């Protein structure tokens, strides 16, 4: 069974920084794209950042220049470094990954989310 677990969320003041971590475990042949989505209170879930297996990144316009996504394939981890945090960044951040499983093809998996709260 594949599991995705996020950590690193918390309460931070505006202008501060947080680093979110996500680890993928289970019987996996390979990990393809990984990413972070977020959901603010009362709003739909939206893409924050993604990274391909080749290291190509994509960011939402709202986080460009402030957030950086990294991955460590050996550790099966992906990180989201968040700098210059703003109150509007507040929300639940979800880690997602597309993985290949033997005889099962590929599938997307999601973590349970980690809360990020930015105070002004």
């Amino acid at each position: 069974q594949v599991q995705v677990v996020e950590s690193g969320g918390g309460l931070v003041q505006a202008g501060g920084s947080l680093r979110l971590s996500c680890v993928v475990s289970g019987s996996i042949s390979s990990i393809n794209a990984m990413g972070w989505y977020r959901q603010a209170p009362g709003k739909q879930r939206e893409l924050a950042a993604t990274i391909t297996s080749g290291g190509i990144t994509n960011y939402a316009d709202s986080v460009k220049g402030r957030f950086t996504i990294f991955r460590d394939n050996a550790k099966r981890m992906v990180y989201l470094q968040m700098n210059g945090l703003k109150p509007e960044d507040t929300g639940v951040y979800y880690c997602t990954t597309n993985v290949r499983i033997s005889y099962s093809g590929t599938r997307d998996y999601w973590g349970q989310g980690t809360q990020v709260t930015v105070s002004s």
Side-chain angles (χ1 to χ4, degrees):
Q1 185 176 49
V2 177
Q3 295 188 26
V4 180
V5 181
E6 307 99 330
S7 62
L11 175 64
V12 65
Q13 291 184 304
S17 299
L18 283 174
R19 175 177 285 195
L20 306 183
S21 300
C22 172
V23 61
V24 181
S25 62
S27 299
I28 301 169
S29 295
S30 62
I31 300 176
N32 300 313
M34 308 180 83
W36 291 92
Y37 285 69
R38 65 184 186 180
Q39 187 167 23
K43 296 185 178 181
Q44 294 183 323
R45 188 177 300 185
E46 65 176 6
L47 178 146
T50 60
I51 183 167
T52 70
S53 60
I56 304 300
T57 59
N58 183 51
Y59 299 94
D61 289 340
S62 59
V63 309
K64 284 182 178 178
R66 300 187 297 118
F67 290 10
T68 305
I69 187 170
F70 299 94
R71 63 189 290 167
D72 186 331
N73 293 330
K75 296 181 178 179
R76 291 182 171 182
M77 296 189 71
V78 63
Y79 308 88
L80 186 67
Q81 179 67 44
M82 305 184 294
N83 299 325
L85 284 163
K86 304 175 181 179
E88 51 262 45
D89 294 319
T90 293
V92 179
Y93 284 68
Y94 298 90
C95 177
T96 186
T97 184
N98 180 264
V99 303
R100 179 171 295 280
I101 306 171
S102 296
Y103 305 109
S104 298
T106 62
R107 180 181 293 183
D108 293 332
Y109 288 90
W110 292 81
Q112 75 286 345
T114 185
Q115 176 70 43
V116 172
T117 303
V118 184
S119 63
S120 60

